[in-house]
Amino acid sequence: AQSVTQLDSQVPVFEEAPVELRCNYSSSVSVYLFWYVQYPNQGLQLLLKYLSGSTLVESINGFEAEFNKSQTSFHLRKPSVHISDTAEYFCAVSQINDYKLSFGAGTTVTVRA
Amino acid sequence: SAVISQKPSRDICQRGTSLTIQCQVDSQVTMMFWYRQQPGQSLTLIATANQGSEATYESGFVIDKFPISRPNLTFSTLTVSNMSPEDSSIYLCSVEATGGGYTFGSGTRLTVV
C-alpha cells in the first residue's frame, strides 16, 4: 500500500496571503494523485487530480498542484487565500490499475482576516 | 460525475446496538467503497463492495463487525454492529468518478454513547 505524508498538520494563514500544503508519497511506480477538501461538517470534495499529461494541474477556485515524479511530491498551492478556504485538505494516492486510495493525515488550513 | 446520497447524515446510538448506513448512487457503478474517518484522523478504507459478490475487507476490518450489502449496481449498505464508543467516526461511501478519481458521499457522523 501507498504511504502518503502530509508534512504540515496545521497551517494558519492570513487572508490574501499565499499557502502551500506539502504532500509526499512512497511509491516508485506510476500513480494517480488527488487533493480533496473537507469543509467543516461536510463530506469530501475532489479539489484536483493528476492522472497523466501536464504535471501542473489547476482547480476552478485558484488552487494548483504540481506533480514532481523525481521527488515523489504533489504539493498544493494557492497564491491568495480567502476566509472560505478554511478547511481540511487531504492528499490521496492510488497506483495505476489499483482502485485503492491511500490518504495522508490531512492539513487543517485556517484563514484569518 | 455520479451523485451519492448517503443517510443518515448523523446519529447518536447506544453501545451494543447496530446502525445501518445507506448509500444510493444516481448511476450504475461496478464498485462501491466504504471508508471510516475517526475523529481528527484521515480516511481508512473499510471494504470494497461489488454487486453479486461478497465484499472485500481491508486488514483490521471484519464482516461480522461491518456487514455490507450490495443488492444492485446503485445501492449499498454498511452496518456497524455491536457498537462501542470506539466506533464513533464519520463513515463515507465512495464510487469512481467519471474521468478519474473518486466521488464521496456527504458522510454519516456516528456518535456511540
Side-chain angles (χ1 to χ4, degrees), chain B:
Chain B
S1 287
V3 176
I4 301 174
S5 300
Q6 188 175 336
K7 59 182 181 182
S9 59
R10 59 178 64 232
D11 207 341
I12 301 173
C13 300
Q14 296 290 324
R15 67 177 68 201
T17 63
S18 298
L19 176 71
T20 295
I21 301 167
Q22 298 180 6
C23 187
Q24 178 75 53
V25 190
D26 68 347
S27 58
Q28 294 184 341
V29 293
T30 303
M31 291 190 290
M32 295 180 74
F33 308 95
W34 287 99
Y35 285 83
R36 180 177 71 182
Q37 185 180 18
Q38 293 178 296
Q41 297 189 31
S42 189
L43 282 79
T44 303
L45 181 64
I46 297 172
T48 303
N50 290 330
Q51 192 265 336
S53 63
E54 292 283 335
T56 303
Y57 289 83
E58 297 300 305
S59 176
F61 298 96
V62 296
I63 187 171
D64 290 346
K65 177 66 175 177
F66 297 101
I68 288 171
S69 77
R70 184 77 203 274
N72 58 52
L73 291 173
T74 63
F75 187 78
S76 179
T77 67
L78 169 77
T79 299
V80 186
S81 302
N82 188 24
M83 288 183 286
S84 67
E86 291 71 34
D87 294 319
S88 297
S89 297
I90 300 173
Y91 293 86
L92 302 102
C93 65
S94 174
V95 301
E96 287 185 274
T98 304
Y102 299 84
T103 299
F104 286 81
S106 55
T108 296
R109 187 177 298 268
L110 170 62
T111 302
V112 184
V113 297

